[in-house]
Amino acid sequence: MNIDPHAYNISIRRDVFDGEFLFEARIKELPDLIEFGETYEEAYELALDSIQTTAEIFVEKGRAFPQPGVPADDFSGRVTLRLPRSLHRALAEAADEEGVSLNQHMTNVLTYYSGFASGYKEASEIGWKKHQGDSTTKTVKSKQHLTLIHDASNEPAWAA
């Protein structure tokens, strides 16, 4: 596998860790990977090396390695979408009820779903399990502090 570690989103910050000032490097696409260095340059180089090493380990284990994230400015924010007439009508009616434009309503719905999917993904990665009767339920608090329930039917729903 030939990857360019420089293409990944690396953020570096300086803070006190275990009583000493260090630079912490984090890779957005690999949230569990953190490197520390005494200088900015050292932390950055360690992060690059860790990306390369982690990619090699993924290849050895036959796992897919995350691709670098694409900057948001590569997107115009405009999407053309064809919908069934019944869905178009339902969305337009819901927008009217909310007193917003169809565009704003659809943006709200997609934003909500995007946050839900992010919390659901986080919950799945953590994998906390609680057994109730014959079904398995996963209950996790996401970053938004909402409790996510996942039942045996694989249909997620927000807890009341």
PDB file of all heavy atoms in Angstrom, residues 35-58:
ATOM      1  N   GLU A  35       0.376  11.248  19.153  1.00  0.00           N
ATOM      2  CA  GLU A  35       1.827  11.288  19.361  1.00  0.00           C
ATOM      3  C   GLU A  35       2.195  12.533  20.149  1.00  0.00           C
ATOM      4  O   GLU A  35       1.522  13.561  20.049  1.00  0.00           O
ATOM      5  CB  GLU A  35       2.566  11.298  18.015  1.00  0.00           C
ATOM      6  CG  GLU A  35       2.490  10.006  17.247  1.00  0.00           C
ATOM      7  CD  GLU A  35       3.248   8.863  17.913  1.00  0.00           C
ATOM      8  OE1 GLU A  35       4.018   9.100  18.856  1.00  0.00           O
ATOM      9  OE2 GLU A  35       3.047   7.727  17.474  1.00  0.00           O
ATOM     10  N   PHE A  36       3.268  12.459  20.916  1.00  0.00           N
ATOM     11  CA  PHE A  36       3.749  13.583  21.707  1.00  0.00           C
ATOM     12  C   PHE A  36       5.211  13.842  21.374  1.00  0.00           C
ATOM     13  O   PHE A  36       5.979  12.901  21.187  1.00  0.00           O
ATOM     14  CB  PHE A  36       3.619  13.291  23.209  1.00  0.00           C
ATOM     15  CG  PHE A  36       2.211  13.109  23.656  1.00  0.00           C
ATOM     16  CD1 PHE A  36       1.629  11.855  23.687  1.00  0.00           C
ATOM     17  CD2 PHE A  36       1.455  14.198  24.025  1.00  0.00           C
ATOM     18  CE1 PHE A  36       0.319  11.685  24.096  1.00  0.00           C
ATOM     19  CE2 PHE A  36       0.145  14.041  24.442  1.00  0.00           C
ATOM     20  CZ  PHE A  36      -0.430  12.787  24.470  1.00  0.00           C
ATOM     21  N   GLY A  37       5.556  15.110  21.301  1.00  0.00           N
ATOM     22  CA  GLY A  37       6.943  15.485  21.053  1.00  0.00           C
ATOM     23  C   GLY A  37       7.313  16.716  21.854  1.00  0.00           C
ATOM     24  O   GLY A  37       6.447  17.484  22.268  1.00  0.00           O
ATOM     25  N   GLU A  38       8.625  16.907  22.033  1.00  0.00           N
ATOM     26  CA  GLU A  38       9.086  18.088  22.762  1.00  0.00           C
ATOM     27  C   GLU A  38       9.025  19.337  21.902  1.00  0.00           C
ATOM     28  O   GLU A  38       8.995  20.452  22.421  1.00  0.00           O
ATOM     29  CB  GLU A  38      10.500  17.857  23.290  1.00  0.00           C
ATOM     30  CG  GLU A  38      10.530  16.802  24.379  1.00  0.00           C
ATOM     31  CD  GLU A  38      11.910  16.615  24.988  1.00  0.00           C
ATOM     32  OE1 GLU A  38      12.834  17.406  24.690  1.00  0.00           O
ATOM     33  OE2 GLU A  38      12.060  15.671  25.783  1.00  0.00           O
ATOM     34  N   THR A  39       8.996  19.160  20.566  1.00  0.00           N
ATOM     35  CA  THR A  39       8.873  20.291  19.648  1.00  0.00           C
ATOM     36  C   THR A  39       7.716  20.013  18.684  1.00  0.00           C
ATOM     37  O   THR A  39       7.287  18.863  18.508  1.00  0.00           O
ATOM     38  CB  THR A  39      10.153  20.500  18.814  1.00  0.00           C
ATOM     39  OG1 THR A  39      10.338  19.371  17.954  1.00  0.00           O
ATOM     40  CG2 THR A  39      11.370  20.700  19.708  1.00  0.00           C
ATOM     41  N   TYR A  40       7.254  21.070  18.043  1.00  0.00           N
ATOM     42  CA  TYR A  40       6.206  20.943  17.035  1.00  0.00           C
ATOM     43  C   TYR A  40       6.653  19.998  15.931  1.00  0.00           C
ATOM     44  O   TYR A  40       5.921  19.093  15.528  1.00  0.00           O
ATOM     45  CB  TYR A  40       5.900  22.333  16.464  1.00  0.00           C
ATOM     46  CG  TYR A  40       4.837  22.353  15.400  1.00  0.00           C
ATOM     47  CD1 TYR A  40       3.515  22.622  15.732  1.00  0.00           C
ATOM     48  CD2 TYR A  40       5.144  22.110  14.060  1.00  0.00           C
ATOM     49  CE1 TYR A  40       2.529  22.639  14.764  1.00  0.00           C
ATOM     50  CE2 TYR A  40       4.162  22.125  13.086  1.00  0.00           C
ATOM     51  CZ  TYR A  40       2.857  22.390  13.448  1.00  0.00           C
ATOM     52  OH  TYR A  40       1.891  22.400  12.481  1.00  0.00           O
ATOM     53  N   GLU A  41       7.867  20.193  15.461  1.00  0.00           N
ATOM     54  CA  GLU A  41       8.406  19.388  14.364  1.00  0.00           C
ATOM     55  C   GLU A  41       8.497  17.911  14.743  1.00  0.00           C
ATOM     56  O   GLU A  41       8.185  17.034  13.952  1.00  0.00           O
ATOM     57  CB  GLU A  41       9.782  19.907  13.934  1.00  0.00           C
ATOM     58  CG  GLU A  41       9.769  21.274  13.288  1.00  0.00           C
ATOM     59  CD  GLU A  41       9.654  22.431  14.290  1.00  0.00           C
ATOM     60  OE1 GLU A  41       9.819  22.209  15.519  1.00  0.00           O
ATOM     61  OE2 GLU A  41       9.361  23.544  13.841  1.00  0.00           O
ATOM     62  N   GLU A  42       8.941  17.643  15.975  1.00  0.00           N
ATOM     63  CA  GLU A  42       9.053  16.258  16.429  1.00  0.00           C
ATOM     64  C   GLU A  42       7.677  15.590  16.477  1.00  0.00           C
ATOM     65  O   GLU A  42       7.504  14.456  16.019  1.00  0.00           O
ATOM     66  CB  GLU A  42       9.712  16.200  17.811  1.00  0.00           C
ATOM     67  CG  GLU A  42       9.861  14.785  18.348  1.00  0.00           C
ATOM     68  CD  GLU A  42      10.443  14.729  19.759  1.00  0.00           C
ATOM     69  OE1 GLU A  42      10.518  15.764  20.438  1.00  0.00           O
ATOM     70  OE2 GLU A  42      10.800  13.611  20.168  1.00  0.00           O
ATOM     71  N   ALA A  43       6.679  16.287  17.012  1.00  0.00           N
ATOM     72  CA  ALA A  43       5.327  15.729  17.076  1.00  0.00           C
ATOM     73  C   ALA A  43       4.791  15.466  15.670  1.00  0.00           C
ATOM     74  O   ALA A  43       4.185  14.423  15.415  1.00  0.00           O
ATOM     75  CB  ALA A  43       4.395  16.678  17.834  1.00  0.00           C
ATOM     76  N   TYR A  44       5.038  16.385  14.740  1.00  0.00           N
ATOM     77  CA  TYR A  44       4.563  16.215  13.363  1.00  0.00           C
ATOM     78  C   TYR A  44       5.238  15.015  12.705  1.00  0.00           C
ATOM     79  O   TYR A  44       4.581  14.187  12.076  1.00  0.00           O
ATOM     80  CB  TYR A  44       4.830  17.498  12.560  1.00  0.00           C
ATOM     81  CG  TYR A  44       4.302  17.443  11.150  1.00  0.00           C
ATOM     82  CD1 TYR A  44       2.944  17.557  10.895  1.00  0.00           C
ATOM     83  CD2 TYR A  44       5.171  17.279  10.071  1.00  0.00           C
ATOM     84  CE1 TYR A  44       2.446  17.505   9.606  1.00  0.00           C
ATOM     85  CE2 TYR A  44       4.681  17.219   8.773  1.00  0.00           C
ATOM     86  CZ  TYR A  44       3.319  17.335   8.551  1.00  0.00           C
ATOM     87  OH  TYR A  44       2.839  17.276   7.270  1.00  0.00           O
ATOM     88  N   GLU A  45       6.549  14.899  12.853  1.00  0.00           N
ATOM     89  CA  GLU A  45       7.283  13.774  12.254  1.00  0.00           C
ATOM     90  C   GLU A  45       6.841  12.442  12.860  1.00  0.00           C
ATOM     91  O   GLU A  45       6.716  11.439  12.145  1.00  0.00           O
ATOM     92  CB  GLU A  45       8.793  13.961  12.421  1.00  0.00           C
ATOM     93  CG  GLU A  45       9.374  15.076  11.572  1.00  0.00           C
ATOM     94  CD  GLU A  45       9.156  14.871  10.075  1.00  0.00           C
ATOM     95  OE1 GLU A  45       9.275  13.721   9.588  1.00  0.00           O
ATOM     96  OE2 GLU A  45       8.864  15.862   9.384  1.00  0.00           O
ATOM     97  N   LEU A  46       6.602  12.416  14.160  1.00  0.00           N
ATOM     98  CA  LEU A  46       6.112  11.193  14.810  1.00  0.00           C
ATOM     99  C   LEU A  46       4.728  10.819  14.269  1.00  0.00           C
ATOM    100  O   LEU A  46       4.438   9.640  14.051  1.00  0.00           O
ATOM    101  CB  LEU A  46       6.065  11.362  16.323  1.00  0.00           C
ATOM    102  CG  LEU A  46       7.411  11.357  17.039  1.00  0.00           C
ATOM    103  CD1 LEU A  46       7.245  11.797  18.489  1.00  0.00           C
ATOM    104  CD2 LEU A  46       8.057   9.977  16.958  1.00  0.00           C
ATOM    105  N   ALA A  47       3.882  11.813  14.037  1.00  0.00           N
ATOM    106  CA  ALA A  47       2.548  11.549  13.488  1.00  0.00           C
ATOM    107  C   ALA A  47       2.655  10.965  12.081  1.00  0.00           C
ATOM    108  O   ALA A  47       1.970   9.990  11.749  1.00  0.00           O
ATOM    109  CB  ALA A  47       1.708  12.828  13.476  1.00  0.00           C
ATOM    110  N   LEU A  48       3.526  11.532  11.250  1.00  0.00           N
ATOM    111  CA  LEU A  48       3.725  11.014   9.892  1.00  0.00           C
ATOM    112  C   LEU A  48       4.200   9.560   9.935  1.00  0.00           C
ATOM    113  O   LEU A  48       3.694   8.705   9.193  1.00  0.00           O
ATOM    114  CB  LEU A  48       4.738  11.865   9.128  1.00  0.00           C
ATOM    115  CG  LEU A  48       4.320  13.294   8.783  1.00  0.00           C
ATOM    116  CD1 LEU A  48       5.476  14.028   8.126  1.00  0.00           C
ATOM    117  CD2 LEU A  48       3.091  13.307   7.892  1.00  0.00           C
ATOM    118  N   ASP A  49       5.165   9.295  10.804  1.00  0.00           N
ATOM    119  CA  ASP A  49       5.692   7.938  10.939  1.00  0.00           C
ATOM    120  C   ASP A  49       4.603   6.976  11.429  1.00  0.00           C
ATOM    121  O   ASP A  49       4.498   5.848  10.946  1.00  0.00           O
ATOM    122  CB  ASP A  49       6.885   7.936  11.897  1.00  0.00           C
ATOM    123  CG  ASP A  49       7.515   6.563  12.005  1.00  0.00           C
ATOM    124  OD1 ASP A  49       7.950   6.031  10.963  1.00  0.00           O
ATOM    125  OD2 ASP A  49       7.545   6.015  13.128  1.00  0.00           O
ATOM    126  N   SER A  50       3.784   7.424  12.361  1.00  0.00           N
ATOM    127  CA  SER A  50       2.719   6.578  12.889  1.00  0.00           C
ATOM    128  C   SER A  50       1.664   6.266  11.830  1.00  0.00           C
ATOM    129  O   SER A  50       1.139   5.151  11.789  1.00  0.00           O
ATOM    130  CB  SER A  50       2.051   7.243  14.085  1.00  0.00           C
ATOM    131  OG  SER A  50       2.956   7.276  15.168  1.00  0.00           O
ATOM    132  N   ILE A  51       1.355   7.241  10.981  1.00  0.00           N
ATOM    133  CA  ILE A  51       0.401   6.997   9.893  1.00  0.00           C
ATOM    134  C   ILE A  51       0.948   5.908   8.983  1.00  0.00           C
ATOM    135  O   ILE A  51       0.244   4.951   8.634  1.00  0.00           O
ATOM    136  CB  ILE A  51       0.118   8.289   9.100  1.00  0.00           C
ATOM    137  CG1 ILE A  51      -0.643   9.292   9.965  1.00  0.00           C
ATOM    138  CG2 ILE A  51      -0.655   7.981   7.812  1.00  0.00           C
ATOM    139  CD1 ILE A  51      -0.716  10.694   9.377  1.00  0.00           C
ATOM    140  N   GLN A  52       2.210   6.028   8.600  1.00  0.00           N
ATOM    141  CA  GLN A  52       2.841   5.054   7.703  1.00  0.00           C
ATOM    142  C   GLN A  52       2.891   3.675   8.345  1.00  0.00           C
ATOM    143  O   GLN A  52       2.533   2.673   7.733  1.00  0.00           O
ATOM    144  CB  GLN A  52       4.263   5.519   7.326  1.00  0.00           C
ATOM    145  CG  GLN A  52       4.913   4.699   6.260  1.00  0.00           C
ATOM    146  CD  GLN A  52       4.241   4.856   4.906  1.00  0.00           C
ATOM    147  OE1 GLN A  52       3.927   5.956   4.496  1.00  0.00           O
ATOM    148  NE2 GLN A  52       4.015   3.757   4.221  1.00  0.00           N
ATOM    149  N   THR A  53       3.303   3.621   9.600  1.00  0.00           N
ATOM    150  CA  THR A  53       3.402   2.344  10.313  1.00  0.00           C
ATOM    151  C   THR A  53       2.024   1.704  10.479  1.00  0.00           C
ATOM    152  O   THR A  53       1.866   0.493  10.271  1.00  0.00           O
ATOM    153  CB  THR A  53       4.055   2.554  11.695  1.00  0.00           C
ATOM    154  OG1 THR A  53       5.340   3.144  11.508  1.00  0.00           O
ATOM    155  CG2 THR A  53       4.197   1.254  12.451  1.00  0.00           C
ATOM    156  N   THR A  54       1.039   2.502  10.842  1.00  0.00           N
ATOM    157  CA  THR A  54      -0.315   1.980  11.016  1.00  0.00           C
ATOM    158  C   THR A  54      -0.863   1.450   9.693  1.00  0.00           C
ATOM    159  O   THR A  54      -1.508   0.394   9.662  1.00  0.00           O
ATOM    160  CB  THR A  54      -1.240   3.068  11.592  1.00  0.00           C
ATOM    161  OG1 THR A  54      -0.672   3.549  12.819  1.00  0.00           O
ATOM    162  CG2 THR A  54      -2.633   2.535  11.857  1.00  0.00           C
ATOM    163  N   ALA A  55      -0.593   2.139   8.602  1.00  0.00           N
ATOM    164  CA  ALA A  55      -1.045   1.679   7.279  1.00  0.00           C
ATOM    165  C   ALA A  55      -0.428   0.324   6.953  1.00  0.00           C
ATOM    166  O   ALA A  55      -1.117  -0.570   6.440  1.00  0.00           O
ATOM    167  CB  ALA A  55      -0.685   2.712   6.212  1.00  0.00           C
ATOM    168  N   GLU A  56       0.842   0.155   7.254  1.00  0.00           N
ATOM    169  CA  GLU A  56       1.510  -1.121   6.998  1.00  0.00           C
ATOM    170  C   GLU A  56       0.889  -2.247   7.830  1.00  0.00           C
ATOM    171  O   GLU A  56       0.705  -3.367   7.343  1.00  0.00           O
ATOM    172  CB  GLU A  56       3.008  -0.990   7.289  1.00  0.00           C
ATOM    173  CG  GLU A  56       3.727  -0.095   6.295  1.00  0.00           C
ATOM    174  CD  GLU A  56       5.127   0.296   6.737  1.00  0.00           C
ATOM    175  OE1 GLU A  56       5.604  -0.188   7.795  1.00  0.00           O
ATOM    176  OE2 GLU A  56       5.751   1.115   6.027  1.00  0.00           O
ATOM    177  N   ILE A  57       0.547  -1.962   9.075  1.00  0.00           N
ATOM    178  CA  ILE A  57      -0.085  -2.959   9.939  1.00  0.00           C
ATOM    179  C   ILE A  57      -1.456  -3.331   9.396  1.00  0.00           C
ATOM    180  O   ILE A  57      -1.828  -4.513   9.369  1.00  0.00           O
ATOM    181  CB  ILE A  57      -0.174  -2.446  11.396  1.00  0.00           C
ATOM    182  CG1 ILE A  57       1.234  -2.343  11.997  1.00  0.00           C
ATOM    183  CG2 ILE A  57      -1.080  -3.338  12.243  1.00  0.00           C
ATOM    184  CD1 ILE A  57       1.293  -1.603  13.318  1.00  0.00           C
ATOM    185  N   PHE A  58      -2.215  -2.329   8.928  1.00  0.00           N
ATOM    186  CA  PHE A  58      -3.534  -2.610   8.352  1.00  0.00           C
ATOM    187  C   PHE A  58      -3.396  -3.534   7.147  1.00  0.00           C
ATOM    188  O   PHE A  58      -4.178  -4.463   6.987  1.00  0.00           O
ATOM    189  CB  PHE A  58      -4.222  -1.306   7.942  1.00  0.00           C
ATOM    190  CG  PHE A  58      -5.047  -0.667   9.031  1.00  0.00           C
ATOM    191  CD1 PHE A  58      -4.487  -0.311  10.249  1.00  0.00           C
ATOM    192  CD2 PHE A  58      -6.386  -0.404   8.833  1.00  0.00           C
ATOM    193  CE1 PHE A  58      -5.230   0.285  11.242  1.00  0.00           C
ATOM    194  CE2 PHE A  58      -7.153   0.195   9.825  1.00  0.00           C
ATOM    195  CZ  PHE A  58      -6.580   0.528  11.032  1.00  0.00           C
TER     196      PHE A  58
END
